[in-house]
Amino acid sequence: MNRYVGTLWTLIISAIILTACMPSTEESLGESKETSSKTQLTVSAAASLKSSLEEVAVLFQQEYPDIALQFNFGGSGSLQQQIEQGAPVDLFFSAAMEPMGRLVQKRLIEQDKPEVLLHNRMVLIAPKGDELIRSIQDLKKPEVRVVAIGQPDTVPAGMYGKEVLERTELWPNVESKVVNAKDVTQVLSYVESGNADAGFVYASDVLKSPNVRVAEEIDPTFHTPIHYPAAITTVGRYPEEAKKLLDFLKSDEARNIFVKYGFVIPEESV
């Protein structure tokens, strides 16, 4: 009998403690309401935009606290394919015109002519402190074994890099040394770690790393002009909020951040 009473009291005390630790229904509903009251805007953007866009996002959310931004960074071609496959992306910010053009053709972009918000420049990079490569012509050296570029089919920087090698007639000498990466961030990582002797990235990417140096800034006539168009998709759920973000990306506050990260504002947009 005493054993039964002891067990009963143990159960009662445990129930009291459990109840005290649980949030009230009002608190739970309040937290849920606060989370659900924000519009979750999905933005697919080129990997080269990551640092600058994350900083722009802080200012945007200060102005629009009811809009939460969720970023998906990667190669522009891969992001374009995701949108074609039905990914619910509200705004697409590409590092090239071609992926955007494909979405326009399939009517997955609202604008017929997406606006170019930024320009960039190509550079050849090498590990800091390594003097093996001083110019693009040094890629022919037998000591140079690995040259990293983005996958040309899905990474615009890779497409530009291959164009540079072809137009400088270096491709036959360098093709066997090329290692393709999923995006410019991975190219940067390969060179930083010493797993690649050199790599082609954007000038804006170099500012992210103290462990690489610019071996040569590439003549822009050697590749297709580097344009960054942004546009609202037709598959997103929040076109009005996406328009607010697109407008904010063109604001002076946002442009100052992009310039700080090495991007160039088109003259016609100034």
Side-chain angles (χ1 to χ4, degrees):
M1 185 68 175
N2 289 338
R3 185 185 303 170
Y4 172 77
V5 173
T7 302
L8 181 61
W9 274 110
T10 299
L11 292 172
I12 293 172
I13 292 170
S14 298
I16 292 172
I17 293 173
L18 182 61
T19 303
C21 292
M22 291 178 63
S24 67
T25 303
E26 185 177 350
E27 289 174 340
S28 299
L29 289 175
E31 291 175 3
S32 177
K33 184 177 180 181
E34 182 179 352
T35 303
S36 63
S37 65
K38 283 193 175 185
T39 298
Q40 188 81 29
L41 203 64
T42 302
V43 180
S44 284
S48 53
L49 289 162
K50 186 176 188 298
S51 298
S52 56
L53 270 185
E54 287 178 340
E55 190 167 327
V56 169
V58 174
L59 297 183
F60 176 78
Q61 292 181 312
Q62 288 174 358
E63 186 166 333
Y64 297 99
D66 58 331
I67 302 176
L69 299 180
Q70 178 177 331
F71 289 108
N72 177 30
F73 295 103
S76 297
S78 297
L79 298 176
Q80 163 232 319
Q81 291 170 7
Q82 292 172 13
I83 294 172
E84 288 178 343
Q85 292 164 8
V89 175
D90 297 291
L91 188 137
F92 180 39
F93 202 164
S94 173
M97 296 301 293
E98 186 177 0
M100 189 70 77
R102 291 175 184 169
L103 295 180
V104 169
Q105 290 176 356
K106 296 186 177 183
R107 299 184 178 180
L108 294 173
I109 292 295
E110 280 194 354
Q111 301 97 316
D112 290 335
K113 294 183 179 179
E115 186 173 358
V116 174
L117 301 190
L118 304 171
H119 291 165
N120 215 329
R121 295 160 291 151
M122 286 298 295
V123 294
L124 176 69
I125 60 170
K128 196 166 187 178
D130 186 339
E131 300 301 316
L132 176 63
I133 298 169
R134 304 302 302 177
S135 75
I136 191 172
Q137 293 298 324
D138 288 334
L139 296 180
K140 294 186 294 185
K141 291 180 177 178
E143 303 96 313
V144 177
R145 297 185 177 183
V146 179
V147 179
I149 68 173
Q151 173 57 248
D153 294 337
T154 57
V155 182
M159 177 187 72
Y160 301 136
K162 185 177 180 181
E163 285 179 351
V164 170
L165 292 171
E166 289 175 337
R167 294 186 189 182
T168 55
E169 300 183 349
L170 289 170
W171 183 250
N173 302 96
V174 179
E175 183 179 6
S176 62
K177 305 178 182 183
V178 167
V179 170
N180 293 135
K182 65 178 182 179
D183 53 38
V184 286
T185 301
Q186 191 170 63
V187 172
L188 191 66
S189 176
Y190 285 164
V191 178
E192 282 180 320
S193 63
N195 289 322
D197 300 300
F200 286 94
V201 298
Y202 299 117
S204 58
D205 293 308
V206 180
L207 299 177
K208 302 174 186 176
S209 175
N211 300 315
V212 301
R213 63 176 176 82
V214 175
E216 183 176 346
E217 184 168 329
I218 305 302
D219 185 332
T221 63
F222 289 161
H223 58 76
T224 303
I226 304 172
H227 295 161
Y228 281 68
I232 301 165
T233 74
T234 58
V235 295
R237 293 170 291 182
Y238 306 108
E240 291 183 9
E241 288 80 0
K243 178 66 165 57
K244 291 178 181 178
L245 176 58
L246 183 58
D247 289 341
F248 191 83
L249 293 174
K250 295 182 281 186
S251 69
D252 289 341
E253 299 97 319
R255 285 175 174 170
N256 289 338
I257 291 173
F258 289 131
V259 169
K260 182 178 77 171
Y261 280 90
F263 294 95
V264 178
I265 307 299
E267 291 185 7
E268 61 271 20
S269 299
V270 177

